[in-house]
Amino acid sequence: MEEKMSWAVADAVDYRGNPADKSKTGGWIPAARILGIEICERLSTMGIAVNLVTYLVGTLHLPSATSANIVTDFMGTSFILCLLGGFLADSFLGRYKTIAIFAGIQTIGTGALAISTKLPQLRPPPCITSNNCKQANGFQMGFLYLALYLIALGTGGLKSSVSGFGTDQFDEKDEKEKAQMAYFFNRFFMFISTGTLLAVTVLVYIQDKVGRSWAYGICSVSMFSAILVFLAGTKKYRYKKSLGSPIVHIFQVLVAATKKKNMAIPYNLNLLYENSPEGSRIEHTDQIRFLDKAAIVMEGDFEGNGSRDPKPWKLSPVTKVEEVKMMVRLLPIWATTIIFWTTYAQMITFSVEQASTMERSIGSFQIPAGSLTVFFVAAIMISLGVYDRLIMPLWKKWKGQPGFTNLQRIAAGLILSTLGMAAAAASERKRLSVAKEASGSATNQTLPISVFLLIPQFFLVGSGEGFIYTGQLDFFITQSPKGMKTMSTGLFLTTLSLGFFVSSFLVMVVKKVTGRGDWQGWLADNINKGRLDCFYGLLTILGVVNFVAFIICSMWYKPKKPKPALQMGSVNGNGNGSSAEDRC
């Protein structure tokens, strides 16, 4: 019996609900099946996003700003729906079912997009002249939106569960498997980059040279094949029981504190309720004191019949309250990273449209405009390689630390993205000067200026993503409560979502404010007649202001440190142990 239990994973079960046998479940092969889903998701989402603006402008004849907003809204929705996917996985479906269901939804979405781009009834007729273009009608746009947001829904469900279900295949208590888990994270990011690289090269080329319906059909078939491979591993996976949604726990604390808003917090903190095991308790902090009211014991806070079990919507233990405080403490850093993803959004919208007007030929081969983002992906890989092989060893010799802290990496990403927008403003200014000199300014005219002028902005922002993505992921996972890791990862992904939505909002405001009379403003339908350089300049200024705010917040923020188990009797009632962790 003891020998049998030594092969069991304590907190995992197999597909039948029995304790998972290490020799028969989990490990690299099941994890690889899960990674197959991730690479197909990246192939679909990024393959659509980086080249969609050219389809909207060139085939559906939509204005430039409207097309950019459709792309950023699509990407923003994809990431905001990660919260929905995470909630369903934690509360109802579990990660396995969530992946299977939402992968199927994305397959349907990419199939619908292939149909949308194939049937002539679902797109307007070609332009007769540059001034006689009929825009897509309501039905055509409605079908396109249906396809895009089915894909967004599928992406949201997948991203919330793929990485978590992958790590479920390794036992953290086993040193060998723990090392394999760290290796899995490296491979996970590599698969994301590989999927993106295939999307911006092979898939974009197929879209432009063979046909969009073929490219999107490939995405649909690839995801369907990945689902079959994923389902074939059902008997080999390890499944971990859900502990409930952290979102519910947070609302329980907020509701309990609100119900007791008129009560005074006791001078003696020993009177606050605590029922967590000694080893997992979190020391009380004298911050956001309003939430402490959720731990005040009142009559009727416990279940009936002499039970000592608290009613969760009326009474929360101190540890649960402190977990919510820890999440709140992340918010200033969270808010100051949103602007990076607003900058990122320009790389797959306006920068691609810039490229479509420039000379892109190498000999007889013409580079697709959407494939310029290959420099973006290359910059990510190069920056991570330089950091791993050069910066980390030098930093260790100089500072005695293995590398930059998570906040330092985020700062590096913000700096690089701001420099990228400054470079974008300069290159656009040069492109506009050439457009003025060229005869005519039709959107489809190729300007006598090399597209490689745009490489600096792609490279700087791409390098910034290499730093900020890993820094954010590290920060939100390591600085959050143990029971809210999934929640904090979702919080990180909302910065991507809000960054895209902020981009859409800025485009709308700038277009409305700068347009006067017959002049359409900075973001004209024909970018050769606008001032996109001014818009990039605005983003540069916002980046500088945001970076100052980030520095202030990071100076006030103090990283979470290991704390001794909470002994309620030793907590001083005068609250002198407070810190400045939450001043920002």
Side-chain angles (χ1 to χ4, degrees):
M1 183 69 176
E2 291 180 3
E3 183 180 354
K4 183 177 180 180
M5 292 305 295
S6 67
W7 286 98
V9 182
D11 57 346
V13 296
D14 61 17
Y15 75 105
R16 290 181 175 176
N18 300 320
D21 189 329
K22 283 186 181 182
S23 64
K24 297 179 180 179
T25 63
W28 265 114
I29 295 178
R33 294 177 184 271
I34 300 166
L35 288 176
I37 291 279
E38 176 60 26
I39 195 171
C40 290
E41 181 274 319
R42 284 290 82 193
L43 182 69
S44 299
T45 305
M46 293 307 298
I48 293 165
V50 298
N51 206 33
L52 182 60
V53 70
T54 59
Y55 176 73
L56 297 173
V57 173
T59 303
L60 301 188
H61 312 144
L62 300 181
S64 173
T66 302
S67 301
N69 279 359
I70 288 174
V71 175
T72 52
D73 288 345
F74 162 66
M75 292 297 288
T77 304
S78 297
F79 288 109
I80 202 71
L81 285 172
C82 291
L83 292 177
L84 172 64
F87 174 76
L88 292 175
D90 288 340
S91 303
F92 303 105
L93 299 175
R95 289 169 177 162
Y96 170 79
K97 290 182 180 178
T98 301
I99 292 172
I101 291 171
F102 284 93
I105 292 173
Q106 190 178 73
T107 302
I108 295 171
T110 50
L113 190 60
I115 294 172
S116 175
T117 56
K118 178 65 175 178
L119 297 180
Q121 296 90 338
L122 295 176
R123 61 179 185 269
C127 296
I128 300 174
T129 65
S130 60
N131 296 322
N132 187 14
C133 288
K134 183 179 179 182
Q135 289 188 17
N137 60 38
F139 174 74
Q140 291 165 342
M141 291 304 299
F143 195 90
L144 177 70
Y145 283 136
L146 174 64
L148 287 178
Y149 286 99
L150 279 174
I151 296 167
L153 179 60
T155 299
L158 288 177
K159 292 200 76 66
S160 65
S161 299
V162 168
S163 60
F165 193 53
T167 57
D168 286 348
Q169 307 312 308
F170 305 97
D171 184 6
E172 291 186 32
K173 298 176 182 178
D174 184 299
E175 289 301 320
K176 182 180 178 181
E177 291 199 12
K178 187 176 181 181
Q180 291 177 334
M181 185 189 297
Y183 193 65
F184 169 82
F185 275 115
N186 293 337
R187 287 294 168 265
F188 181 74
F189 192 75
M190 186 196 74
F191 269 60
I192 290 177
S193 299
T194 301
T196 303
L197 188 62
L198 288 172
V200 302
T201 52
V202 177
L203 203 65
V204 168
Y205 181 82
I206 293 174
Q207 289 175 30
D208 286 359
K209 301 301 181 182
V210 180
R212 289 180 183 269
S213 58
W214 278 97
Y216 300 145
I218 289 172
C219 291
S220 187
V221 172
S222 297
M223 181 58 82
F224 182 73
S225 301
I227 293 172
L228 295 180
V229 172
F230 174 76
L231 294 177
T234 299
K235 295 182 180 180
K236 298 294 184 179
Y237 296 133
R238 294 175 188 170
Y239 305 85
K240 294 192 177 181
K241 295 180 180 179
S242 172
L243 299 177
S245 173
I247 297 177
V248 174
H249 297 163
I250 290 173
F251 276 108
Q252 286 174 344
V253 171
L254 294 175
V255 169
T258 302
K259 287 180 178 179
K260 300 172 183 178
K261 61 183 179 181
N262 296 324
M263 296 190 67
I265 298 173
Y267 180 79
N268 183 2
L269 296 181
N270 291 334
L271 299 177
L272 294 177
Y273 178 71
E274 178 64 286
N275 68 344
S276 304
E278 290 285 336
S280 62
R281 291 183 180 182
I282 301 176
E283 184 179 356
H284 177 271
T285 56
D286 190 24
Q287 57 184 359
I288 320 176
R289 295 298 302 274
F290 171 77
L291 295 179
D292 289 338
K293 296 183 179 184
I296 298 176
V297 180
M298 289 180 57
E299 185 178 353
D301 282 352
F302 295 92
E303 302 291 349
N305 300 324
S307 172
R308 298 305 298 167
D309 294 329
K311 295 179 179 178
W313 293 95
K314 289 187 175 182
L315 181 64
S316 297
V318 170
T319 293
K320 185 180 287 187
V321 171
E322 290 301 319
E323 287 179 342
V324 175
K325 288 184 180 181
M326 289 168 68
M327 294 298 293
V328 172
R329 208 169 69 230
L330 303 178
L331 294 181
I333 301 297
W334 169 83
T336 51
T337 56
I338 292 173
I339 195 67
F340 173 87
W341 299 105
T342 300
T343 299
Y344 173 95
Q346 313 319 310
M347 297 298 102
I348 60 174
T349 53
F350 288 121
S351 291
V352 174
E353 193 170 354
Q354 283 178 285
S356 68
T357 68
M358 302 170 77
E359 179 58 52
R360 307 191 307 276
S361 297
I362 301 178
S364 60
F365 176 75
Q366 187 177 57
I367 304 171
S371 290
L372 259 291
T373 47
V374 71
F375 294 106
F376 191 88
V377 180
I380 295 173
M381 294 180 170
I382 291 172
S383 63
L384 290 177
V386 169
Y387 175 75
D388 185 48
R389 299 297 180 182
L390 182 61
I391 296 177
M392 286 182 66
L394 292 176
W395 196 257
K396 188 172 183 179
K397 289 182 179 179
W398 183 33
K399 292 287 188 178
Q401 298 175 351
F404 293 161
T405 65
N406 42 43
L407 292 179
Q408 287 170 337
R409 276 177 280 162
I410 292 173
L414 293 175
I415 292 171
L416 288 167
S417 67
T418 303
L419 293 175
M421 280 297 95
S427 63
E428 174 61 8
R429 196 172 185 87
K430 175 65 175 175
R431 194 194 67 83
L432 284 175
S433 68
V434 174
K436 283 185 178 181
E437 295 173 1
S439 58
S441 294
T443 305
N444 58 358
Q445 178 187 4
T446 299
L447 300 176
I449 182 172
S450 174
V451 75
F452 295 114
L453 181 69
L454 304 181
I455 289 179
Q457 65 200 60
F458 280 103
F459 199 85
L460 286 167
V461 179
S463 298
E465 187 191 357
F467 283 104
I468 201 169
Y469 192 99
T470 55
Q472 278 185 285
L473 192 59
D474 183 11
F475 176 79
F476 283 101
I477 287 179
T478 60
Q479 300 303 309
S480 63
K482 184 178 180 181
M484 296 188 180
K485 302 296 183 185
T486 304
M487 172 70 180
S488 62
T489 303
L491 191 64
F492 153 55
L493 291 173
T494 60
T495 64
L496 281 74
S497 174
L498 292 176
F500 286 110
F501 286 136
V502 168
S503 177
S504 297
F505 176 75
L506 279 177
V507 168
M508 179 184 66
V509 171
V510 167
K511 190 170 177 64
K512 185 175 182 179
V513 171
T514 61
R516 297 184 187 91
D518 293 334
W519 188 53
Q520 295 179 343
W522 292 357
L523 304 175
D525 295 344
N526 181 343
I527 64 169
N528 292 342
K529 296 179 180 179
R531 290 300 305 272
L532 185 58
D533 58 326
C534 294
F535 182 65
Y536 285 155
L538 173 63
L539 286 172
T540 303
I541 295 170
L542 290 176
V544 172
V545 173
N546 178 78
F547 182 72
V548 173
F550 171 78
I551 292 297
I552 294 171
C553 292
S554 60
M555 287 174 64
W556 272 319
Y557 182 84
K558 292 186 178 180
K560 183 184 77 172
K561 297 179 180 178
K563 298 178 181 179
L566 176 63
Q567 301 293 335
M568 291 303 294
S570 65
V571 177
N572 295 326
N574 57 15
N576 290 336
S578 64
S579 69
E581 290 178 338
D582 237 13
R583 293 180 188 170
C584 182

